[in-house]
Amino acid sequence: MQSRQIEITVGLFILLGIVALSFLAIQVSGLSFADARRDTYALSAQFNTVAGLTPRAKVMVAGVAVGHVRAIHIDPITVRAVVEMAIDKDVDYLTTDSIASIKTAGVLGEQYVSIAVGGAPDILKAGDTIKDTQSAMILEDLISKFATSFTDKK
Amino acid sequence: MAANWIEIRDLSFKRGSRAILDSLDIDIPQGRITAILGPSGCGKTTLLRLIGSQLRPTSGSIHIDGVDITRLNRRELFVSRERVGMLFQSGALFTDLSVYENVAFPLRLHTQLPEGMIHDLVLMKLHAVGLRGARDLMPAELSGGMARRAALARAIILDPELIMYDEPFVGQDPIFAGVLRDLIRRINQAMGCTCIIVSHDIAETVAISDYMYVLANGRIIGQGTPDAVMKSDDARVQQFLRGLPDGPVPFHYPAPDYRRDMLLEGE
Amino acid sequence: MLGFLQRLGRSGLDTAAAFGRAGILLWQALWGPMDWRDGPALLFRQLYFVGVFSLIIIVVSGVLIGMVLALQGYTVLVRFGAESALGEMVSLTLLRELGPVVAALLFAGRAGSALTAEIGLMKATEQLAAMDMIGVDPLRRVARPRLWAGIISMPILAQVFNMVAILGAVAVGVSWLDVDAGSFWSNMQGTVDFREDVLNGVIKAFAFGIVVTWIAVFEGFDAEPTPEGISTATTRTVVYSSLAVLAMDFLLTALMFGVD
């Protein structure tokens, strides 16, 4: 057995390992080096409830992803959930009267932040807060509301 | 008689509660061939392992060239083993190296010689055992006799002061046994090294050894020059040397009385 | 009753002694100065035998398991109209659990048993004793490169397993069952986290590599130098390392993904 041949084969083996890991990193987990460096700016929004929204969830405008949720925490004064988002730099058309809402993809799908752009003349800048928000729809609340209104009518 | 190269005093080795070697006293003279004979399972190989310090004795001392090897630490042992060559029963060639690399192995490990000199030394030793043409073969391609010769070349590559042979004649055809006997004799004379042969092959061993010890059940039952041992009147020695089926070493494994045993079984 | 207690105590002591010997072996094999002259060549050789030789079984099993996962997952998900989550389901199952565990079990069967048999045979043919006599520590020359080769190979094999299994799932899910390729990949990328899922899987594989090779090398060194001894030791390697992998998997899963 030639040691040169062994070394080349082992080199290919290790290379295959690196290829596999890169495949898992880029194609499977969606880790993109371009993504990490792409410029974003921060926006935040306060919601009454975010029920089920998680960091890394998508931020969409008209169904197109324009950023992601970076962190979620509670504002101790208002006791509302603060959602911090990173929005792509080239998305510079979010007006000050935009409405942020938490929606669900499909009935059981994952939750995302949807931003509906309004018609105000001013544009949101980095660090601004979206004031107009619509909280997550909670299925149980919806059902009980429906049930009570149904009984009221009777 | 030459000075003693190895002096073993009151050496005992126990495995669990069973004594394999029981207070042995052995002197091995320098530059001679000393044979340790004995039936299978009498502790011969254990004795070699003790001299090679692969095992630690339960008690007693082994002085090699004035140094008590039972007191050396691990690193000192590895250094002291440069001066010892050993031919294992199965040859013990490294299966992943060619014959040439096997023989060169101790040189590469213990010396910083240039490749050209290693090449010359290895070919010299391979030539001495008649395997110069087999240098590129792998151990798996060798016959048993050739493997043992290659192993012998490896054992003598560092010109050791002590060579130990573990059952060198076992399983060899008469031609090869003759070749090996001749080699052992020639190596001993050419290099002036001390040799220990452990064997139960009486004829071959008597023919080349200068001094003999006969071992049975972990004790020495006879010693002397081959002639003296052959003429010994000790019943145990005679039984072993002549291969008598019954004697002090009983033919029967210890058992209750035969007749009683049969009658009891029959009832 | 006393006899039972005695047997229990004896087996307990024997187990403790075996653990002690195994610990000493690992310590002596991995500790100490690196041998720069022969070390790399020995390591490459073992990487070849331990890693490259296990590649075929890993790739074939990976593709098959990925295909089965996709098929099974599809039949369940399609009832909820959620077949677009197929990629997510398959990749999370593989990266977190099946990839490292199945690859480690295959590795124990393929490379672990071979290591034990090889070392046991070296012991039986007195090669280890010969090394000792020549002045080479068998733990350094035999155990060390094999341990490192196993520790290095296992994460590579597990990642290759994951990759081909996901590709197998793509073949079944996207090409055959007509799951939309775009939602397959984007759902996967949306849920799989590099650090949380991929790197934790690598850490698992690394831990399994240490355990499996350690058991295999130890059993080889500890084997009775007889044909029966070697075959018993080989069996023990596969059984013990499989159990150790599954037990460790539970512990690591609890640590990594556990509810805290």
Side-chain angles (χ1 to χ4, degrees), chain B residues 49 54 74 78 81 88-90 92-95 105 108-110, chain C residues 28 37 45 125-127 129-137 141:
Chain B
R49 292 268 157 100
Q54 292 182 308
R74 203 173 162 81
F78 276 127
R81 284 176 186 160
F88 286 88
Q89 212 173 116
S90 54
L93 292 172
F94 303 139
T95 39
F105 188 86
R108 294 195 199 283
L109 188 79
H110 288 296
Chain C
Q28 287 185 341
R37 196 176 56 175
R45 225 186 133 73
T125 55
E126 296 176 306
Q127 290 183 53
M131 271 181 206
D132 216 16
M133 275 313 295
I134 289 171
V136 190
D137 190 346
R141 189 163 180 100

PDB file of all heavy atoms in Angstrom, chain B residues 49 54 74 78 81 88-90 92-95 105 108-110, chain C residues 28 37 45 125-127 129-137 141:
ATOM      1  N   ARG B  49       9.586 -13.451  30.137  1.00  0.00           N
ATOM      2  CA  ARG B  49       8.892 -12.162  30.249  1.00  0.00           C
ATOM      3  C   ARG B  49       9.410 -11.388  31.454  1.00  0.00           C
ATOM      4  O   ARG B  49       9.508 -10.168  31.425  1.00  0.00           O
ATOM      5  CB  ARG B  49       7.387 -12.389  30.417  1.00  0.00           C
ATOM      6  CG  ARG B  49       6.726 -12.955  29.186  1.00  0.00           C
ATOM      7  CD  ARG B  49       6.200 -11.847  28.292  1.00  0.00           C
ATOM      8  NE  ARG B  49       6.051 -12.288  26.925  1.00  0.00           N
ATOM      9  CZ  ARG B  49       4.902 -12.657  26.376  1.00  0.00           C
ATOM     10  NH1 ARG B  49       3.818 -12.592  27.077  1.00  0.00           N
ATOM     11  NH2 ARG B  49       4.860 -13.046  25.125  1.00  0.00           N
ATOM     12  N   GLN B  54       8.760  -7.532  31.085  1.00  0.00           N
ATOM     13  CA  GLN B  54       7.398  -7.225  30.647  1.00  0.00           C
ATOM     14  C   GLN B  54       6.421  -7.565  31.752  1.00  0.00           C
ATOM     15  O   GLN B  54       5.283  -7.137  31.741  1.00  0.00           O
ATOM     16  CB  GLN B  54       7.059  -8.033  29.395  1.00  0.00           C
ATOM     17  CG  GLN B  54       7.883  -7.575  28.215  1.00  0.00           C
ATOM     18  CD  GLN B  54       7.522  -8.318  26.963  1.00  0.00           C
ATOM     19  OE1 GLN B  54       7.493  -9.536  26.935  1.00  0.00           O
ATOM     20  NE2 GLN B  54       7.236  -7.579  25.925  1.00  0.00           N
ATOM     21  N   ARG B  74       9.569   2.950  34.164  1.00  0.00           N
ATOM     22  CA  ARG B  74       9.157   2.657  32.793  1.00  0.00           C
ATOM     23  C   ARG B  74      10.139   3.193  31.754  1.00  0.00           C
ATOM     24  O   ARG B  74      10.530   2.504  30.830  1.00  0.00           O
ATOM     25  CB  ARG B  74       7.782   3.316  32.591  1.00  0.00           C
ATOM     26  CG  ARG B  74       6.958   2.724  31.499  1.00  0.00           C
ATOM     27  CD  ARG B  74       5.584   3.383  31.550  1.00  0.00           C
ATOM     28  NE  ARG B  74       4.893   3.184  30.297  1.00  0.00           N
ATOM     29  CZ  ARG B  74       4.248   2.065  29.986  1.00  0.00           C
ATOM     30  NH1 ARG B  74       4.223   1.074  30.830  1.00  0.00           N
ATOM     31  NH2 ARG B  74       3.630   1.941  28.834  1.00  0.00           N
ATOM     32  N   PHE B  78      12.651   1.090  29.014  1.00  0.00           N
ATOM     33  CA  PHE B  78      12.684   1.206  27.559  1.00  0.00           C
ATOM     34  C   PHE B  78      14.103   1.410  27.066  1.00  0.00           C
ATOM     35  O   PHE B  78      14.506   0.893  26.029  1.00  0.00           O
ATOM     36  CB  PHE B  78      11.788   2.362  27.093  1.00  0.00           C
ATOM     37  CG  PHE B  78      10.348   1.966  26.972  1.00  0.00           C
ATOM     38  CD1 PHE B  78       9.356   2.684  27.609  1.00  0.00           C
ATOM     39  CD2 PHE B  78       9.995   0.856  26.222  1.00  0.00           C
ATOM     40  CE1 PHE B  78       8.030   2.305  27.503  1.00  0.00           C
ATOM     41  CE2 PHE B  78       8.672   0.473  26.109  1.00  0.00           C
ATOM     42  CZ  PHE B  78       7.691   1.198  26.757  1.00  0.00           C
ATOM     43  N   ARG B  81      16.118  -1.860  27.283  1.00  0.00           N
ATOM     44  CA  ARG B  81      15.740  -2.899  26.325  1.00  0.00           C
ATOM     45  C   ARG B  81      16.460  -2.773  24.991  1.00  0.00           C
ATOM     46  O   ARG B  81      16.416  -3.683  24.174  1.00  0.00           O
ATOM     47  CB  ARG B  81      14.226  -2.858  26.089  1.00  0.00           C
ATOM     48  CG  ARG B  81      13.490  -3.471  27.245  1.00  0.00           C
ATOM     49  CD  ARG B  81      12.024  -3.354  27.062  1.00  0.00           C
ATOM     50  NE  ARG B  81      11.328  -3.817  28.255  1.00  0.00           N
ATOM     51  CZ  ARG B  81      10.085  -3.490  28.533  1.00  0.00           C
ATOM     52  NH1 ARG B  81       9.422  -2.704  27.715  1.00  0.00           N
ATOM     53  NH2 ARG B  81       9.514  -3.944  29.616  1.00  0.00           N
ATOM     54  N   PHE B  88      10.447 -14.035  19.389  1.00  0.00           N
ATOM     55  CA  PHE B  88       9.198 -14.561  19.941  1.00  0.00           C
ATOM     56  C   PHE B  88       8.819 -15.856  19.247  1.00  0.00           C
ATOM     57  O   PHE B  88       9.234 -16.135  18.124  1.00  0.00           O
ATOM     58  CB  PHE B  88       8.085 -13.536  19.789  1.00  0.00           C
ATOM     59  CG  PHE B  88       8.215 -12.405  20.746  1.00  0.00           C
ATOM     60  CD1 PHE B  88       8.964 -11.280  20.429  1.00  0.00           C
ATOM     61  CD2 PHE B  88       7.600 -12.463  21.984  1.00  0.00           C
ATOM     62  CE1 PHE B  88       9.099 -10.250  21.322  1.00  0.00           C
ATOM     63  CE2 PHE B  88       7.727 -11.423  22.878  1.00  0.00           C
ATOM     64  CZ  PHE B  88       8.482 -10.315  22.550  1.00  0.00           C
ATOM     65  N   GLN B  89       7.972 -16.607  19.969  1.00  0.00           N
ATOM     66  CA  GLN B  89       7.548 -17.905  19.470  1.00  0.00           C
ATOM     67  C   GLN B  89       6.932 -17.806  18.082  1.00  0.00           C
ATOM     68  O   GLN B  89       7.205 -18.608  17.208  1.00  0.00           O
ATOM     69  CB  GLN B  89       6.514 -18.458  20.457  1.00  0.00           C
ATOM     70  CG  GLN B  89       6.544 -19.947  20.549  1.00  0.00           C
ATOM     71  CD  GLN B  89       5.620 -20.420  21.651  1.00  0.00           C
ATOM     72  OE1 GLN B  89       4.659 -21.089  21.397  1.00  0.00           O
ATOM     73  NE2 GLN B  89       5.919 -20.078  22.899  1.00  0.00           N
ATOM     74  N   SER B  90       6.079 -16.777  17.888  1.00  0.00           N
ATOM     75  CA  SER B  90       5.388 -16.662  16.602  1.00  0.00           C
ATOM     76  C   SER B  90       6.119 -15.713  15.659  1.00  0.00           C
ATOM     77  O   SER B  90       5.603 -15.363  14.615  1.00  0.00           O
ATOM     78  CB  SER B  90       3.971 -16.160  16.845  1.00  0.00           C
ATOM     79  OG  SER B  90       4.031 -14.970  17.598  1.00  0.00           O
ATOM     80  N   ALA B  92       6.341 -12.651  15.635  1.00  0.00           N
ATOM     81  CA  ALA B  92       5.840 -11.339  16.036  1.00  0.00           C
ATOM     82  C   ALA B  92       6.335 -10.235  15.121  1.00  0.00           C
ATOM     83  O   ALA B  92       6.637  -9.135  15.556  1.00  0.00           O
ATOM     84  CB  ALA B  92       6.213 -11.032  17.492  1.00  0.00           C
ATOM     85  N   LEU B  93       6.410 -10.524  13.817  1.00  0.00           N
ATOM     86  CA  LEU B  93       6.710  -9.440  12.874  1.00  0.00           C
ATOM     87  C   LEU B  93       5.508  -8.509  12.823  1.00  0.00           C
ATOM     88  O   LEU B  93       4.373  -8.947  12.944  1.00  0.00           O
ATOM     89  CB  LEU B  93       6.974 -10.012  11.473  1.00  0.00           C
ATOM     90  CG  LEU B  93       8.250 -10.833  11.318  1.00  0.00           C
ATOM     91  CD1 LEU B  93       8.287 -11.485   9.945  1.00  0.00           C
ATOM     92  CD2 LEU B  93       9.481  -9.958  11.503  1.00  0.00           C
ATOM     93  N   PHE B  94       5.767  -7.216  12.623  1.00  0.00           N
ATOM     94  CA  PHE B  94       4.656  -6.266  12.540  1.00  0.00           C
ATOM     95  C   PHE B  94       3.991  -6.441  11.174  1.00  0.00           C
ATOM     96  O   PHE B  94       4.612  -6.239  10.136  1.00  0.00           O
ATOM     97  CB  PHE B  94       5.150  -4.837  12.722  1.00  0.00           C
ATOM     98  CG  PHE B  94       5.872  -4.649  14.023  1.00  0.00           C
ATOM     99  CD1 PHE B  94       7.018  -3.889  14.098  1.00  0.00           C
ATOM    100  CD2 PHE B  94       5.401  -5.243  15.177  1.00  0.00           C
ATOM    101  CE1 PHE B  94       7.682  -3.730  15.293  1.00  0.00           C
ATOM    102  CE2 PHE B  94       6.061  -5.089  16.382  1.00  0.00           C
ATOM    103  CZ  PHE B  94       7.207  -4.326  16.439  1.00  0.00           C
ATOM    104  N   THR B  95       2.722  -6.795  11.203  1.00  0.00           N
ATOM    105  CA  THR B  95       2.057  -7.193   9.963  1.00  0.00           C
ATOM    106  C   THR B  95       1.883  -6.039   8.994  1.00  0.00           C
ATOM    107  O   THR B  95       1.648  -6.263   7.814  1.00  0.00           O
ATOM    108  CB  THR B  95       0.679  -7.804  10.266  1.00  0.00           C
ATOM    109  OG1 THR B  95       0.089  -7.057  11.321  1.00  0.00           O
ATOM    110  CG2 THR B  95       0.811  -9.244  10.683  1.00  0.00           C
ATOM    111  N   PHE B 105      13.122  -1.330  11.901  1.00  0.00           N
ATOM    112  CA  PHE B 105      12.316  -0.660  12.933  1.00  0.00           C
ATOM    113  C   PHE B 105      13.104  -0.265  14.191  1.00  0.00           C
ATOM    114  O   PHE B 105      13.099   0.910  14.577  1.00  0.00           O
ATOM    115  CB  PHE B 105      11.130  -1.563  13.278  1.00  0.00           C
ATOM    116  CG  PHE B 105      10.114  -0.943  14.172  1.00  0.00           C
ATOM    117  CD1 PHE B 105       9.085  -0.179  13.650  1.00  0.00           C
ATOM    118  CD2 PHE B 105      10.184  -1.114  15.544  1.00  0.00           C
ATOM    119  CE1 PHE B 105       8.144   0.395  14.486  1.00  0.00           C
ATOM    120  CE2 PHE B 105       9.248  -0.531  16.377  1.00  0.00           C
ATOM    121  CZ  PHE B 105       8.228   0.218  15.837  1.00  0.00           C
ATOM    122  N   ARG B 108      15.574   2.636  13.413  1.00  0.00           N
ATOM    123  CA  ARG B 108      14.940   3.944  13.254  1.00  0.00           C
ATOM    124  C   ARG B 108      14.518   4.496  14.606  1.00  0.00           C
ATOM    125  O   ARG B 108      14.545   5.702  14.828  1.00  0.00           O
ATOM    126  CB  ARG B 108      13.692   3.823  12.377  1.00  0.00           C
ATOM    127  CG  ARG B 108      13.984   3.435  10.943  1.00  0.00           C
ATOM    128  CD  ARG B 108      12.758   3.703  10.088  1.00  0.00           C
ATOM    129  NE  ARG B 108      12.783   2.968   8.837  1.00  0.00           N
ATOM    130  CZ  ARG B 108      13.521   3.317   7.796  1.00  0.00           C
ATOM    131  NH1 ARG B 108      14.289   4.390   7.882  1.00  0.00           N
ATOM    132  NH2 ARG B 108      13.505   2.606   6.700  1.00  0.00           N
ATOM    133  N   LEU B 109      14.140   3.594  15.499  1.00  0.00           N
ATOM    134  CA  LEU B 109      13.641   4.040  16.792  1.00  0.00           C
ATOM    135  C   LEU B 109      14.772   4.497  17.711  1.00  0.00           C
ATOM    136  O   LEU B 109      14.669   5.517  18.375  1.00  0.00           O
ATOM    137  CB  LEU B 109      12.878   2.885  17.445  1.00  0.00           C
ATOM    138  CG  LEU B 109      12.140   3.278  18.705  1.00  0.00           C
ATOM    139  CD1 LEU B 109      10.865   3.984  18.327  1.00  0.00           C
ATOM    140  CD2 LEU B 109      11.849   2.054  19.538  1.00  0.00           C
ATOM    141  N   HIS B 110      15.856   3.728  17.740  1.00  0.00           N
ATOM    142  CA  HIS B 110      16.872   3.987  18.755  1.00  0.00           C
ATOM    143  C   HIS B 110      18.071   4.763  18.245  1.00  0.00           C
ATOM    144  O   HIS B 110      18.921   5.165  19.027  1.00  0.00           O
ATOM    145  CB  HIS B 110      17.355   2.664  19.362  1.00  0.00           C
ATOM    146  CG  HIS B 110      16.339   2.013  20.249  1.00  0.00           C
ATOM    147  ND1 HIS B 110      15.905   2.595  21.411  1.00  0.00           N
ATOM    148  CD2 HIS B 110      15.662   0.849  20.140  1.00  0.00           C
ATOM    149  CE1 HIS B 110      15.003   1.808  21.985  1.00  0.00           C
ATOM    150  NE2 HIS B 110      14.833   0.749  21.226  1.00  0.00           N
TER     151      HIS B 110
ATOM    152  N   GLN C  28      -2.781   7.116  29.135  1.00  0.00           N
ATOM    153  CA  GLN C  28      -1.410   6.894  28.662  1.00  0.00           C
ATOM    154  C   GLN C  28      -1.303   7.007  27.151  1.00  0.00           C
ATOM    155  O   GLN C  28      -0.262   7.379  26.624  1.00  0.00           O
ATOM    156  CB  GLN C  28      -0.929   5.507  29.106  1.00  0.00           C
ATOM    157  CG  GLN C  28      -0.625   5.475  30.596  1.00  0.00           C
ATOM    158  CD  GLN C  28      -0.049   4.153  31.019  1.00  0.00           C
ATOM    159  OE1 GLN C  28      -0.181   3.158  30.320  1.00  0.00           O
ATOM    160  NE2 GLN C  28       0.590   4.133  32.175  1.00  0.00           N
ATOM    161  N   ARG C  37       7.838  12.252  14.012  1.00  0.00           N
ATOM    162  CA  ARG C  37       8.455  11.543  12.905  1.00  0.00           C
ATOM    163  C   ARG C  37       7.512  10.495  12.317  1.00  0.00           C
ATOM    164  O   ARG C  37       7.243  10.489  11.126  1.00  0.00           O
ATOM    165  CB  ARG C  37       9.744  10.870  13.387  1.00  0.00           C
ATOM    166  CG  ARG C  37      10.615  10.444  12.220  1.00  0.00           C
ATOM    167  CD  ARG C  37      11.913   9.874  12.708  1.00  0.00           C
ATOM    168  NE  ARG C  37      11.687   8.769  13.630  1.00  0.00           N
ATOM    169  CZ  ARG C  37      12.667   8.034  14.122  1.00  0.00           C
ATOM    170  NH1 ARG C  37      13.912   8.296  13.826  1.00  0.00           N
ATOM    171  NH2 ARG C  37      12.405   7.047  14.955  1.00  0.00           N
ATOM    172  N   ARG C  45      -2.637   6.464   8.117  1.00  0.00           N
ATOM    173  CA  ARG C  45      -2.928   5.065   7.855  1.00  0.00           C
ATOM    174  C   ARG C  45      -4.206   4.632   8.553  1.00  0.00           C
ATOM    175  O   ARG C  45      -5.062   3.970   7.973  1.00  0.00           O
ATOM    176  CB  ARG C  45      -1.763   4.238   8.393  1.00  0.00           C
ATOM    177  CG  ARG C  45      -1.285   3.167   7.483  1.00  0.00           C
ATOM    178  CD  ARG C  45      -0.239   2.342   8.184  1.00  0.00           C
ATOM    179  NE  ARG C  45      -0.564   0.960   7.983  1.00  0.00           N
ATOM    180  CZ  ARG C  45      -0.402   0.344   6.816  1.00  0.00           C
ATOM    181  NH1 ARG C  45       0.107   0.975   5.807  1.00  0.00           N
ATOM    182  NH2 ARG C  45      -0.740  -0.917   6.679  1.00  0.00           N
ATOM    183  N   THR C 125      -0.429 -12.591  18.414  1.00  0.00           N
ATOM    184  CA  THR C 125       0.791 -12.936  17.675  1.00  0.00           C
ATOM    185  C   THR C 125       2.015 -12.280  18.291  1.00  0.00           C
ATOM    186  O   THR C 125       3.060 -12.174  17.649  1.00  0.00           O
ATOM    187  CB  THR C 125       0.680 -12.523  16.202  1.00  0.00           C
ATOM    188  OG1 THR C 125       0.367 -11.137  16.142  1.00  0.00           O
ATOM    189  CG2 THR C 125      -0.386 -13.304  15.485  1.00  0.00           C
ATOM    190  N   GLU C 126       1.876 -11.800  19.512  1.00  0.00           N
ATOM    191  CA  GLU C 126       2.994 -11.247  20.298  1.00  0.00           C
ATOM    192  C   GLU C 126       3.592  -9.981  19.701  1.00  0.00           C
ATOM    193  O   GLU C 126       4.693  -9.584  20.059  1.00  0.00           O
ATOM    194  CB  GLU C 126       4.101 -12.298  20.473  1.00  0.00           C
ATOM    195  CG  GLU C 126       3.649 -13.505  21.270  1.00  0.00           C
ATOM    196  CD  GLU C 126       4.712 -14.576  21.345  1.00  0.00           C
ATOM    197  OE1 GLU C 126       5.185 -14.990  20.279  1.00  0.00           O
ATOM    198  OE2 GLU C 126       5.081 -14.979  22.454  1.00  0.00           O
ATOM    199  N   GLN C 127       2.861  -9.338  18.748  1.00  0.00           N
ATOM    200  CA  GLN C 127       3.421  -8.106  18.183  1.00  0.00           C
ATOM    201  C   GLN C 127       3.509  -7.003  19.228  1.00  0.00           C
ATOM    202  O   GLN C 127       4.439  -6.197  19.220  1.00  0.00           O
ATOM    203  CB  GLN C 127       2.558  -7.628  17.015  1.00  0.00           C
ATOM    204  CG  GLN C 127       2.665  -8.528  15.808  1.00  0.00           C
ATOM    205  CD  GLN C 127       1.868  -7.990  14.641  1.00  0.00           C
ATOM    206  OE1 GLN C 127       2.033  -6.848  14.243  1.00  0.00           O
ATOM    207  NE2 GLN C 127       0.998  -8.803  14.108  1.00  0.00           N
ATOM    208  N   ALA C 129       3.916  -7.455  22.478  1.00  0.00           N
ATOM    209  CA  ALA C 129       5.044  -7.782  23.357  1.00  0.00           C
ATOM    210  C   ALA C 129       6.364  -7.462  22.661  1.00  0.00           C
ATOM    211  O   ALA C 129       7.306  -6.964  23.287  1.00  0.00           O
ATOM    212  CB  ALA C 129       4.991  -9.261  23.734  1.00  0.00           C
ATOM    213  N   ALA C 130       6.417  -7.724  21.339  1.00  0.00           N
ATOM    214  CA  ALA C 130       7.650  -7.433  20.603  1.00  0.00           C
ATOM    215  C   ALA C 130       7.936  -5.942  20.604  1.00  0.00           C
ATOM    216  O   ALA C 130       9.075  -5.510  20.784  1.00  0.00           O
ATOM    217  CB  ALA C 130       7.536  -7.958  19.172  1.00  0.00           C
ATOM    218  N   MET C 131       6.875  -5.135  20.414  1.00  0.00           N
ATOM    219  CA  MET C 131       7.070  -3.684  20.463  1.00  0.00           C
ATOM    220  C   MET C 131       7.631  -3.270  21.804  1.00  0.00           C
ATOM    221  O   MET C 131       8.551  -2.468  21.899  1.00  0.00           O
ATOM    222  CB  MET C 131       5.721  -2.986  20.273  1.00  0.00           C
ATOM    223  CG  MET C 131       5.404  -2.727  18.837  1.00  0.00           C
ATOM    224  SD  MET C 131       3.832  -1.905  18.738  1.00  0.00           S
ATOM    225  CE  MET C 131       3.398  -2.428  17.109  1.00  0.00           C
ATOM    226  N   ASP C 132       7.038  -3.848  22.845  1.00  0.00           N
ATOM    227  CA  ASP C 132       7.479  -3.554  24.190  1.00  0.00           C
ATOM    228  C   ASP C 132       8.962  -3.879  24.353  1.00  0.00           C
ATOM    229  O   ASP C 132       9.733  -3.093  24.903  1.00  0.00           O
ATOM    230  CB  ASP C 132       6.640  -4.399  25.151  1.00  0.00           C
ATOM    231  CG  ASP C 132       6.336  -3.656  26.428  1.00  0.00           C
ATOM    232  OD1 ASP C 132       6.514  -2.425  26.429  1.00  0.00           O
ATOM    233  OD2 ASP C 132       5.946  -4.302  27.403  1.00  0.00           O
ATOM    234  N   MET C 133       9.365  -5.041  23.835  1.00  0.00           N
ATOM    235  CA  MET C 133      10.763  -5.458  23.962  1.00  0.00           C
ATOM    236  C   MET C 133      11.688  -4.552  23.162  1.00  0.00           C
ATOM    237  O   MET C 133      12.805  -4.266  23.579  1.00  0.00           O
ATOM    238  CB  MET C 133      10.938  -6.893  23.444  1.00  0.00           C
ATOM    239  CG  MET C 133      10.639  -7.991  24.435  1.00  0.00           C
ATOM    240  SD  MET C 133      11.399  -7.751  26.036  1.00  0.00           S
ATOM    241  CE  MET C 133      13.123  -7.863  25.635  1.00  0.00           C
ATOM    242  N   ILE C 134      11.236  -4.141  21.972  1.00  0.00           N
ATOM    243  CA  ILE C 134      12.089  -3.289  21.152  1.00  0.00           C
ATOM    244  C   ILE C 134      12.205  -1.902  21.786  1.00  0.00           C
ATOM    245  O   ILE C 134      13.177  -1.189  21.557  1.00  0.00           O
ATOM    246  CB  ILE C 134      11.517  -3.222  19.717  1.00  0.00           C
ATOM    247  CG1 ILE C 134      11.728  -4.573  19.044  1.00  0.00           C
ATOM    248  CG2 ILE C 134      12.188  -2.135  18.908  1.00  0.00           C
ATOM    249  CD1 ILE C 134      11.029  -4.703  17.726  1.00  0.00           C
ATOM    250  N   GLY C 135      11.252  -1.572  22.617  1.00  0.00           N
ATOM    251  CA  GLY C 135      11.334  -0.278  23.291  1.00  0.00           C
ATOM    252  C   GLY C 135      10.334   0.735  22.771  1.00  0.00           C
ATOM    253  O   GLY C 135      10.539   1.930  22.901  1.00  0.00           O
ATOM    254  N   VAL C 136       9.244   0.254  22.144  1.00  0.00           N
ATOM    255  CA  VAL C 136       8.171   1.155  21.734  1.00  0.00           C
ATOM    256  C   VAL C 136       6.984   0.882  22.628  1.00  0.00           C
ATOM    257  O   VAL C 136       6.640  -0.268  22.852  1.00  0.00           O
ATOM    258  CB  VAL C 136       7.718   0.881  20.287  1.00  0.00           C
ATOM    259  CG1 VAL C 136       6.792   1.965  19.809  1.00  0.00           C
ATOM    260  CG2 VAL C 136       8.892   0.744  19.396  1.00  0.00           C
ATOM    261  N   ASP C 137       6.371   1.935  23.116  1.00  0.00           N
ATOM    262  CA  ASP C 137       5.185   1.758  23.921  1.00  0.00           C
ATOM    263  C   ASP C 137       4.011   1.443  23.000  1.00  0.00           C
ATOM    264  O   ASP C 137       3.641   2.273  22.174  1.00  0.00           O
ATOM    265  CB  ASP C 137       4.920   3.046  24.704  1.00  0.00           C
ATOM    266  CG  ASP C 137       3.839   2.856  25.735  1.00  0.00           C
ATOM    267  OD1 ASP C 137       3.147   1.829  25.645  1.00  0.00           O
ATOM    268  OD2 ASP C 137       3.705   3.721  26.607  1.00  0.00           O
ATOM    269  N   ARG C 141       2.102   3.676  20.025  1.00  0.00           N
ATOM    270  CA  ARG C 141       2.211   3.360  18.616  1.00  0.00           C
ATOM    271  C   ARG C 141       0.948   2.720  18.059  1.00  0.00           C
ATOM    272  O   ARG C 141       0.598   2.927  16.902  1.00  0.00           O
ATOM    273  CB  ARG C 141       3.396   2.420  18.390  1.00  0.00           C
ATOM    274  CG  ARG C 141       3.651   2.248  16.930  1.00  0.00           C
ATOM    275  CD  ARG C 141       4.994   1.691  16.613  1.00  0.00           C
ATOM    276  NE  ARG C 141       5.099   1.586  15.173  1.00  0.00           N
ATOM    277  CZ  ARG C 141       5.723   2.445  14.421  1.00  0.00           C
ATOM    278  NH1 ARG C 141       6.321   3.470  14.961  1.00  0.00           N
ATOM    279  NH2 ARG C 141       5.751   2.285  13.122  1.00  0.00           N
TER     280      ARG C 141
END
